[in-house]
Amino acid sequence: MLKSHIHSEDILTASKEQYRVLVADDEKTSRIMLVHYIKKMGYEPVEAVDGEECIDILTREPVDIILLDIHMPRKDGFDVMTWLNEHDYKIPVIMVTASHDIPKTVKCIKMGAYEYLTKPLDTERLQIVVRNALSESALHGRVQQLKKELKTKELFHNIIGKSHAIRKTMEQAMQVMDTELNVLILGESGTGKELFAQAIHEGSTRKNGPFVSVNCAAISHELAESLLFGHIKGSFTGANNDHAGFFEQAHHGTLFLDEIGDMNADIQAKVLRAIQEKKIRRVGEKKERSVDFRVISATNMNFDEAIRSNSFREDLYYRLEEFPLFIPPLRQRAEDIPLLARYFLEQFCSTNNLKTPAISEEALNELTSYSWPGNVRELKNAIQRTAISNRNRQEITAILHAGSHRQSKELCKAPESPPQTEPAVTSSQDGIIPLDEIERNAITEAYRICEGNPTKTARLLGIGRATLYRKLKKFGLN
């Protein structure tokens, strides 16, 4: 029953944000009255006739606050509070109880309830408590969001980008990092797969353990078993000491298997067993060792094709791919290219004591219009080359070699029968052509074919731009 001390016009009208209030009370009259006033306050009521239905609703629908009666059939208020704590639900709970149930209510408060109201309910008190609980919950949610954003910045400080594609990948990495799931990172070469692997490790419960990075493509078949699982002294020629393999080195930490798709087929079965059993056996040793590790792997290969061709075990793939994480290529996050370019430029110039030039709009357009098949790694290389060639300039107007993969054939392709106004080489008096003359004529002809573009000319001649400039100075060519 409710005691009303306020008029209907004093009750809050519908708020801009429609909060959902779950009313769990087996007493029908009390529940109907609560629902009525919740509506007048501008909130959306959801009804539950007992604790079991209350829990069922919480598993299916979003709820912002709970008005919870203590005495209910099937599951009571204590059961609901216990369930909320076990499932880590951060929802404010207002207990609704009779005056003689205060000791039980205090117990619920200790279990995490926000506040309690005694029957008969005072609508003014109800309004204030509900509003304060929602405000505090919203503030708590904002604080948690800020903490999450701060943690994201700390963990992904080496990953530059604000695009939707890269932020989505970061969010997925945040979801899985504090679990024990094995993560398979997929993406093209140069996208930063190892940076994400390190971030996942740093954000996990294993952050105080080792992060062991293994390039599977660089491991020869002969040494694979020894490197991965270790060996004991005398187990083979050259085994002068006991050696802990990569799996054992990653004990209580994370094992990062980079380029996992290039792992030799013969060793895949042993890796699968090690991941399944969390046990390894050193080469030459009879006993097994228990090892505690988490596996993060990465590849740029197409697993469907590899499995069909029997070059990669399907069962190992599914063991590695407990949580797949796709790193988008740079062409799918073009808005991040200017950020990355400026970051690499400032970093390189600072390291090498160079004055950092500005990047012109023309150069930025050149950067964003290129597809970057080598992704972030190729962009970094291009920026570093450009920084060196522009060390005495205030502004970068062109990117050195940017787009070379895409344009190399077109830029350096000479006409099949180029018209010549003069012979490319001339005979000397004794029939021997001086080397300098051949070189000078070749440079002159290449410049003509490439219409005076030094980058194209150097590429056509098969020399670097610096070498070309030295030759131009030597021969007095402008």
Side-chain angles (χ1 to χ4, degrees), residues 56 108 248 300 305 307 353 387 400 475:
D56 183 56
C108 288
E248 204 170 340
N300 59 6
E305 294 180 1
I307 291 172
N353 297 317
L400 188 61
F475 297 125

Side-chain angles (χ1 to χ4, degrees), residues 247-252 273-274 277-282 285 287-293:
F247 277 88
E248 204 170 340
Q249 292 172 29
H251 187 54
H252 294 319
R273 186 179 184 280
E277 305 295 332
K278 293 294 179 74
K279 292 180 179 180
I280 58 98
R281 181 186 288 115
R282 291 183 178 184
E285 192 172 46
K287 68 175 183 179
E288 289 187 325
R289 299 169 181 258
S290 295
V291 187
D292 174 33
F293 58 86

Side-chain angles (χ1 to χ4, degrees), residues 127-192:
Q127 178 179 321
I128 293 172
V129 172
V130 170
R131 184 169 55 198
N132 290 346
L134 288 171
S135 296
E136 189 171 313
S137 178
L139 180 61
H140 176 75
R142 179 58 180 157
V143 170
Q144 293 303 114
Q145 179 64 27
L146 290 172
K147 286 183 178 179
K148 181 180 177 182
E149 291 175 3
L150 181 61
K151 183 179 180 180
T152 301
K153 289 181 180 179
E154 290 175 351
L155 294 174
F156 298 102
H157 64 279
N158 286 325
I159 300 171
I160 311 300
K162 296 182 179 180
S163 65
H164 173 74
I166 200 66
R167 288 180 68 86
K168 181 180 178 182
T169 304
M170 290 180 184
E171 289 173 3
Q172 291 175 337
M174 290 287 289
Q175 292 171 4
V176 74
M177 63 175 49
D178 59 354
T179 72
E180 284 295 299
L181 292 176
N182 294 329
V183 181
L184 175 61
I185 304 178
L186 303 168
E188 297 177 5
S189 178
T191 51

Side-chain angles (χ1 to χ4, degrees), residues 348 354 383-392 400:
F348 181 79
L354 300 175
I383 293 298
Q384 291 176 343
R385 288 193 299 265
T386 303
I388 293 174
S389 64
N390 288 269
R391 65 172 66 207
N392 297 319
L400 188 61

Side-chain angles (χ1 to χ4, degrees), residues 155-156 158-159 185 191-200 256:
L155 294 174
F156 298 102
N158 286 325
I159 300 171
I185 304 178
T191 51
K193 296 187 287 294
E194 184 165 0
L195 291 178
F196 270 91
Q198 289 174 334
I200 292 172
F256 176 54

Side-chain angles (χ1 to χ4, degrees), residues 28 58 60 139 155 224 226 267 290 303 316 415 422 424 432 435:
K28 186 176 180 180
L58 289 170
R60 294 183 288 105
L139 180 61
L155 294 174
S226 171
I267 204 69
S290 295
F303 272 117
L316 176 56
E422 58 179 294
I432 301 299
L435 185 60

Side-chain angles (χ1 to χ4, degrees), residues 304-321:
D304 290 336
E305 294 180 1
I307 291 172
R308 279 197 297 268
S309 63
N310 293 321
S311 62
F312 199 87
R313 294 179 64 104
E314 187 173 14
D315 47 3
L316 176 56
Y317 165 72
Y318 286 119
R319 180 62 64 176
L320 297 171
E321 192 232 16

